[in-house]
Amino acid sequence: MREPALTAAEVAAFVNEVFPQQKGVFELVDVQSMRATVRQPIRQEHLRPGGTVSGPTLFTIADCAFYMAVLAMIGREALTVTSNLNITFLRKPPVAPLRAEARILKLGRLLASGDVLVFSEALADPVAHASTTYAIPPRA
């Protein structure tokens, strides 16, 4: 089993450094080999009419969770970018904090592929599932 290159605290500090506009939006709960768990409190700006969490909010936490999982494994590489993210909305998320569980299924030199389950803390079943691929810049 491949161990992460960075701890949860190191990943969180790096993300806050390279994305200062996102500071405090997400909480990196845990990193393990090929996995990361991210939590997001829900505020008024995350809601859509009908009293539900918006699709863009679900997309963003899935993208962020996978980014953090990849960074944990490869280290401080800010230019790692999403090359594909396909999301399926499974059920209406109530107004409650979200938790995203990212899993890397394949980590290569130039691509990382995997999936993310997004949960509402008010429900047992996931509210969204994302399949994602990230491009990793070539090492110098």
Side-chain angles (χ1 to χ4, degrees):
M1 179 185 314
R2 187 170 164 185
E3 291 301 314
L6 300 174
T7 67
E10 291 169 331
V11 172
F14 180 64
V15 169
N16 286 338
E17 176 187 320
V18 295
F19 291 106
Q21 69 275 22
Q22 293 294 319
K23 191 172 187 173
V25 175
F26 302 101
E27 172 195 357
L28 180 54
V29 176
D30 186 40
V31 295
Q32 298 175 21
S33 179
M34 308 288 272
R35 295 180 181 268
T37 301
V38 173
R39 185 176 184 276
Q40 179 182 8
I42 297 302
R43 298 187 300 264
Q44 189 65 35
E45 64 265 24
H46 301 126
L47 303 180
R48 56 164 283 147
T52 187
V53 177
S54 72
T57 301
L58 297 172
F59 185 98
T60 302
I61 192 173
D63 193 33
C64 179
F66 199 77
Y67 181 67
M68 290 186 180
V70 172
L71 289 178
M73 295 307 296
I74 68 169
R76 297 171 54 93
E77 183 53 70
L79 297 180
T80 299
V81 296
T82 311
S83 62
N84 184 60
L85 195 148
N86 181 30
I87 191 163
T88 302
F89 302 108
L90 302 171
R91 57 191 44 85
K92 179 181 173 179
V95 180
L98 298 175
R99 183 182 79 253
E101 299 176 359
R103 173 178 65 158
I104 301 170
L105 299 173
K106 182 175 188 227
L107 181 60
R109 287 183 307 107
L110 299 176
L111 293 174
S113 296
D115 64 0
V116 182
L117 285 173
V118 181
F119 294 87
S120 167
E121 290 187 358
L123 298 174
D125 293 322
V127 297
H129 173 260
S131 298
T132 186
T133 301
Y134 260 69
I136 301 167
R139 302 286 174 148

